[in-house]
Amino acid sequence: MKLAAHELHDLHELTMSCVNSITNMSYMLQHIQDPELKSIVERHYPFHIRDYNMKVEFLSQQEGAKLELPLFKEQGNLADYTQSPMNQYPPVQPRTMVQDMNDREMATNYLLTLKRSGREYANSAMEAANPELRSFLQTAFMMSCSHAYDMWQYMVQKGYYPLEPADQTMISKIGATYQVVPENQEIIQQALNKYNNQNPIAGESDQMYQ
């Protein structure tokens, strides 16, 4: 398909990143010991394959990508989203002699890969000119966010990712700094009415499918 020069460069970088991600995930599926971690990676794996194949289509097919990237709803599994269930975090130290990666190392690698790819998708989506490509990149960003959330929750539950509540005094102090803008002002209502059928005001954040 026709691409601007910067779109071609971004797609090339993102596709190369996918090659790395899929290779790493394929290794992980053969070496993970924890069934819970393996089930997460297995569930994500086909979506990364589809993501890669769509990029290849954008790069090689005149009509662009014919496939679609499915999305699914995020699931929250933590009992407390501000406090780790662990009383103490297992210590970690980088290994300098490695034959095979352990589960913690693979989980960390995968989470950081998802965070990096999410940032790259977001940046590329902001710059994309082609509407079809732009939509794909936005969807891929949402996929990365959802998969990263799965992995983050897993790591929190294992104590691999620290999670501590913010100081309540500071929350109150900072929160008191900002005042709500009344939305019943005439200028706001006029704009809402004028663009009533164009603004995405009907949806809610909890309806977002990942």
Side-chain angles (χ1 to χ4, degrees), residues 167-180:
D167 180 76
Q168 190 60 50
T169 301
M170 287 302 298
I171 293 176
S172 299
K173 187 175 182 180
I174 293 174
T177 304
Y178 302 99
Q179 302 299 308
V180 172

Side-chain angles (χ1 to χ4, degrees), residues 20-22 24-26 28-29 32 37-48 72 101 103-118 143-144 146-152 154-155:
N20 182 62
S21 298
I22 292 170
N24 286 339
M25 293 178 78
S26 300
M28 291 168 64
L29 288 172
I32 291 172
L37 175 59
K38 187 172 184 178
S39 70
I40 294 172
V41 178
E42 284 178 334
R43 185 161 57 90
H44 293 179
Y45 189 65
F47 293 88
H48 289 266
F72 54 93
M101 298 176 70
D103 283 0
R104 182 175 186 173
E105 290 165 335
M106 286 186 281
T108 301
N109 176 279
Y110 183 39
L111 176 61
L112 295 179
T113 296
L114 289 167
K115 288 185 173 184
R116 186 206 70 244
S117 63
M143 182 192 76
S144 296
S146 179
H147 289 186
Y149 192 47
D150 284 343
M151 283 306 304
W152 174 79
Y154 169 82
M155 293 189 69

Side-chain angles (χ1 to χ4, degrees), residues 4 7 18 33-35 48 54 69 79 104 150 175 186 197 202 205:
E7 291 174 326
C18 269
Q33 300 298 311
D34 182 5
H48 289 266
M54 289 184 69
L69 184 60
R104 182 175 186 173
D150 284 343
E186 184 178 355
N197 296 322
S205 61

Side-chain angles (χ1 to χ4, degrees), residues 59-72:
L59 286 169
S60 62
Q61 302 297 323
Q62 186 65 34
E63 65 273 20
K66 299 185 292 294
L67 298 170
E68 294 288 340
L69 184 60
L71 300 176
F72 54 93

Side-chain angles (χ1 to χ4, degrees), residues 36 115 124 128 158 167 188 199 207:
E36 182 183 0
K115 288 185 173 184
S124 297
K158 295 294 183 180
D167 180 76
I188 298 174
N199 289 335
Q207 296 172 332

